[in-house]
Amino acid sequence: MAMTRSRRQFLHLAAGMAAPALLSGSAWADTYPSRPVRIMVGFAAGGPNDILARLVGQWCSERLGQQFIVENRPGAGSNIATDAVVRAAPDGYTLLLVGSPNAINATLYENLDFNFLRDIAPVASLTRGALVMVIHPSVPAHTIPEFIAYAKANRGRLSYGSGGVGGITHIAAELFKQEAGGLDLQHVPYRGVAPAITDLLGGQVQVVFVNLAPSIGHIRSGKLRAIGITTAARSEALPDVPAIGEFVPGYEASSVFGIGAPKDTPAAIIDRLNNETNAALADPGFRTRLRSLDATALGGSPGDFGKLMAGETEKWAKVISFAKIRPE
């Protein structure tokens, strides 16, 4: 029931962003931004989250004439950064790079001091990114059906690595286990994706669901075998690798990103930021840079982003509850 209420609250916030702004809000937006804007990122500098935020920040800086500064607040699976934005003044000068971790953490962590769906107003959708299911060549499977059959014939003997408990590389695998008929794969969490890939290459684990960037070189060299893409559509980078959903109906898992702001941020400011974000996503040069991150541009209204994040939160809540996942 609480999850249903939160979903309604987030959709209500999103709908509010589409309503006509009050005159005072419009006047405020006419002068916005008049000083630097911070984009809070819940992960360390140099990663894909950070790079995406910097791309958006650079675009907005050039278009709006004020610096959009990325501030990294890593820790607690992005909860530290989210909490900072929740507590910030709702004036458009503190924004949040929203992502799948926010949707996951809403259920994974039971005692947060904020409610993401209630306390963060949706601004704009940015990107959707695929994961790829890669296996060690010693596994005698070249397709998703072959892997499922092999896993069922060897219950409890296969293990999968992830970048950590509760991350997208973990729950995407748990969703696959559930949707593929209740596979018995043992989870081995690592402190990051890199060591998980290292152990996959060495055969210590047999499967990893991972972003394309750290795995595509190993796939092309034949050291790892890619058998499925987690998004509904195939990846341009690996066009011959089918979507998992082609064999497991309804399966879809991806990293989604967007921009959020503290609740009660004026609708006129939300709309201005949304317009600039959509302009970036429509720009050919900007889209090319996104493809280098293996990301597909989304875009749309604040309401569209609200619906997306509410749906992601609801989906991952079911996986986390079913698998009884708890944070480390």
Side-chain angles (χ1 to χ4, degrees), residues 45 50 55 87 98 111 136 142 151 161 205 231 245 261 321 327:
D50 176 71
L55 287 177
R87 297 174 184 277
V98 174
N111 298 308
H136 190 268
H142 290 78
V205 294
T231 44
S321 298

Short mmCIF file of all heavy atoms in Angstrom, two decimals, residues 45 50 55 87 98 111 136 142 151 161 205 231 245 261 321 327:
data_model
loop_
_atom_site.label_atom_id
_atom_site.label_comp_id
_atom_site.label_asym_id
_atom_site.label_seq_id
_atom_site.Cartn_x
_atom_site.Cartn_y
_atom_site.Cartn_z
N ALA A 45 33.60 10.48 -9.34
CA ALA A 45 33.93 11.07 -10.64
C ALA A 45 34.55 10.03 -11.56
O ALA A 45 35.23 9.11 -11.12
CB ALA A 45 34.89 12.24 -10.44
N ASP A 50 28.69 10.09 -13.71
CA ASP A 50 29.39 11.37 -13.65
C ASP A 50 29.56 11.98 -15.04
O ASP A 50 29.33 13.18 -15.24
CB ASP A 50 30.75 11.15 -12.99
CG ASP A 50 31.60 12.41 -12.96
OD1 ASP A 50 31.27 13.32 -12.20
OD2 ASP A 50 32.60 12.45 -13.71
N LEU A 55 28.07 16.03 -19.22
CA LEU A 55 27.60 16.37 -20.56
C LEU A 55 26.39 17.30 -20.49
O LEU A 55 26.31 18.30 -21.21
CB LEU A 55 27.23 15.10 -21.33
CG LEU A 55 28.37 14.21 -21.82
CD1 LEU A 55 27.81 12.95 -22.48
CD2 LEU A 55 29.27 14.96 -22.78
N ARG A 87 16.95 18.00 0.81
CA ARG A 87 17.03 19.04 1.83
C ARG A 87 17.37 20.43 1.27
O ARG A 87 17.37 21.42 2.01
CB ARG A 87 18.09 18.65 2.87
CG ARG A 87 17.75 17.37 3.64
CD ARG A 87 18.88 16.93 4.54
NE ARG A 87 18.58 15.67 5.20
CZ ARG A 87 17.86 15.54 6.31
NH1 ARG A 87 17.38 16.64 6.89
NH2 ARG A 87 17.61 14.38 6.84
N VAL A 98 19.21 11.68 -11.41
CA VAL A 98 18.37 10.56 -10.98
C VAL A 98 18.72 9.34 -11.82
O VAL A 98 19.01 9.45 -13.01
CB VAL A 98 16.88 10.92 -11.16
CG1 VAL A 98 15.99 9.73 -10.85
CG2 VAL A 98 16.52 12.10 -10.27
N ASN A 111 14.91 2.39 6.02
CA ASN A 111 14.87 3.50 6.99
C ASN A 111 15.48 4.78 6.43
O ASN A 111 16.19 5.49 7.13
CB ASN A 111 15.60 3.09 8.27
CG ASN A 111 14.95 1.90 8.95
OD1 ASN A 111 13.75 1.91 9.20
ND2 ASN A 111 15.74 0.87 9.24
N HIS A 136 31.05 -17.38 -19.28
CA HIS A 136 32.38 -17.93 -19.54
C HIS A 136 32.27 -18.97 -20.64
O HIS A 136 31.29 -19.72 -20.70
CB HIS A 136 32.94 -18.56 -18.26
CG HIS A 136 34.38 -18.94 -18.36
ND1 HIS A 136 34.78 -20.20 -18.77
CD2 HIS A 136 35.51 -18.22 -18.14
CE1 HIS A 136 36.10 -20.24 -18.77
NE2 HIS A 136 36.57 -19.06 -18.39
N HIS A 142 25.08 -21.30 -26.12
CA HIS A 142 25.29 -20.17 -27.04
C HIS A 142 24.04 -19.32 -27.19
O HIS A 142 24.08 -18.29 -27.88
CB HIS A 142 25.74 -20.69 -28.41
CG HIS A 142 27.13 -21.27 -28.42
ND1 HIS A 142 27.39 -22.55 -27.95
CD2 HIS A 142 28.32 -20.75 -28.81
CE1 HIS A 142 28.70 -22.79 -28.08
NE2 HIS A 142 29.27 -21.71 -28.58
N ALA A 151 21.25 -24.51 -16.96
CA ALA A 151 21.13 -24.10 -15.57
C ALA A 151 20.14 -24.98 -14.82
O ALA A 151 20.37 -25.36 -13.66
CB ALA A 151 20.71 -22.64 -15.48
N GLY A 161 28.28 -13.25 -10.94
CA GLY A 161 28.88 -12.14 -10.23
C GLY A 161 28.13 -10.86 -10.47
O GLY A 161 27.45 -10.70 -11.48
N VAL A 205 33.31 -17.39 -11.60
CA VAL A 205 31.86 -17.30 -11.76
C VAL A 205 31.56 -17.58 -13.22
O VAL A 205 32.44 -17.46 -14.09
CB VAL A 205 31.29 -15.93 -11.32
CG1 VAL A 205 31.47 -15.72 -9.83
CG2 VAL A 205 31.94 -14.79 -12.10
N THR A 231 17.76 -4.97 -22.55
CA THR A 231 16.69 -4.06 -22.96
C THR A 231 15.75 -4.74 -23.95
O THR A 231 16.07 -5.78 -24.52
CB THR A 231 17.28 -2.79 -23.60
OG1 THR A 231 18.32 -3.16 -24.50
CG2 THR A 231 17.83 -1.86 -22.55
N GLY A 245 14.42 -10.69 -23.85
CA GLY A 245 12.97 -10.75 -23.96
C GLY A 245 12.47 -11.49 -25.19
O GLY A 245 11.29 -11.85 -25.26
N ALA A 261 14.66 17.42 -9.13
CA ALA A 261 14.83 18.63 -8.33
C ALA A 261 14.06 18.46 -7.03
O ALA A 261 13.19 17.58 -6.92
CB ALA A 261 14.32 19.86 -9.10
N SER A 321 11.68 -7.68 -3.12
CA SER A 321 10.86 -8.36 -2.11
C SER A 321 10.85 -9.87 -2.33
O SER A 321 10.99 -10.65 -1.38
CB SER A 321 9.43 -7.81 -2.14
OG SER A 321 9.41 -6.44 -1.83
N PRO A 327 20.42 -4.67 1.88
CA PRO A 327 21.68 -3.98 1.63
C PRO A 327 22.80 -4.57 2.48
O PRO A 327 22.56 -5.13 3.56
CB PRO A 327 21.39 -2.53 2.00
CG PRO A 327 20.25 -2.61 2.96
CD PRO A 327 19.43 -3.78 2.51
#
